[in-house]
């Protein structure tokens, strides 16, 4: 049994099956992308208990009882919505292939660091490869999302 985006999912696969293949092939959740299959590109990034993790090298056995969150759940929370809005405003995606992984890494960063510096962003996003070279737009969009989250937090306070 896996917990994906808050729902329990029963899957019959070998325990050493990568989470990525369960998401895509068994559960039909194709927002998480396959890039290298080696933990080197970040296209397959999901959250496991809130941490950004490469699902292509994470086995099903290792995530039993943990919360798996994918790009499909991103718009359901404040940080994810702010990031998606900033991504659109700054026209970050080019071919788009790497972007679900980029967004998941960015969301994990903002969940633990509300005002990341350039260096914080570069460190957190290191390993999320973009062949289209959207790195500067990603950095700008993350800062913009952080700013709008802090402003909306102030309004709520
Ligand atoms: S597909 Fe998982 S890191 Fe590249
Ligand atoms: S937008 Fe094309 S690989 Fe990143």
């Amino acid at each position: 049994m896996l917990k994906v985006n808050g729902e329990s999912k029963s899957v019959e696969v070998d325990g050493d099956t990568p989470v990525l293949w369960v998401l895509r092939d068994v559960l039909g959740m194709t927002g998480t992308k396959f890039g290298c299959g080696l933990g080197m590109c970040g296209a397959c990034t999901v959250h496991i208990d809130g941490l950004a993790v490469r699902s292509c090298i994470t086995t099903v056995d290792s995530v039993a009882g943990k919360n798996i969150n994918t790009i499909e759940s991103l718009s359901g929370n404040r940080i994810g919505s702010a990031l998606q809005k900033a991504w659109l405003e700054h026209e970050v995606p080019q071919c788009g292939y790497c972007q679900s992984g980029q967004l998941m890494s960015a969301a994990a960063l903002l969940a633990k660091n509300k005002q990341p510096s350039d260096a914080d962003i570069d460190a957190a996003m290191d390993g999320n490869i973009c062949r289209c070279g959207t790195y500067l737009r990603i950095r700008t969009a993350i800062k913009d999302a952080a700013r709008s989250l802090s402003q909306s937090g102030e309004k709520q306070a």
Side-chain angles (χ1 to χ4, degrees), residues 4-144:
V4 183
N5 298 338
E7 288 180 25
S8 294
K9 304 276 187 190
S10 175
V11 295
E12 287 189 23
V13 294
D14 290 340
D16 60 357
T17 306
V19 170
L20 174 62
W21 297 122
V22 174
L23 292 172
R24 291 183 59 85
D25 292 351
V26 180
L27 299 176
M29 301 170 72
T30 54
T32 306
K33 301 301 182 196
F34 169 69
C36 63
L38 300 167
M40 306 289 287
C41 75
C44 66
T45 304
V46 299
H47 294 175
I48 307 289
D49 284 346
L51 297 176
V53 167
R54 310 296 189 228
S55 63
C56 69
I57 52 167
T58 303
T59 65
V60 168
D61 265 355
S62 71
V63 298
K66 299 185 178 173
N67 293 303
I68 305 168
N69 280 90
T70 70
I71 188 73
E72 284 86 355
S73 71
L74 198 68
S75 62
N77 67 70
R78 224 174 131 247
I79 290 174
S81 301
L83 283 167
Q84 287 177 326
K85 190 159 169 280
W87 246 240
L88 287 173
E89 274 170 11
H90 294 280
E91 299 183 341
V92 174
Q94 296 303 302
C95 81
Y97 199 83
C98 71
Q99 296 294 329
S100 66
Q102 305 280 5
L103 280 161
M104 294 307 282
S105 289
L109 167 65
L110 289 186
K112 64 173 191 210
N113 183 344
K114 290 185 176 21
Q115 294 295 330
S117 64
D118 285 353
D120 295 335
I121 292 171
D122 291 348
M125 303 303 289
D126 188 36
N128 279 86
I129 307 295
C130 176
R131 292 175 60 165
C132 301
T134 61
Y135 302 111
L136 289 180
R137 292 184 200 197
I138 286 171
R139 195 200 271 171
T140 305
I142 291 173
K143 289 190 147 184
D144 211 24

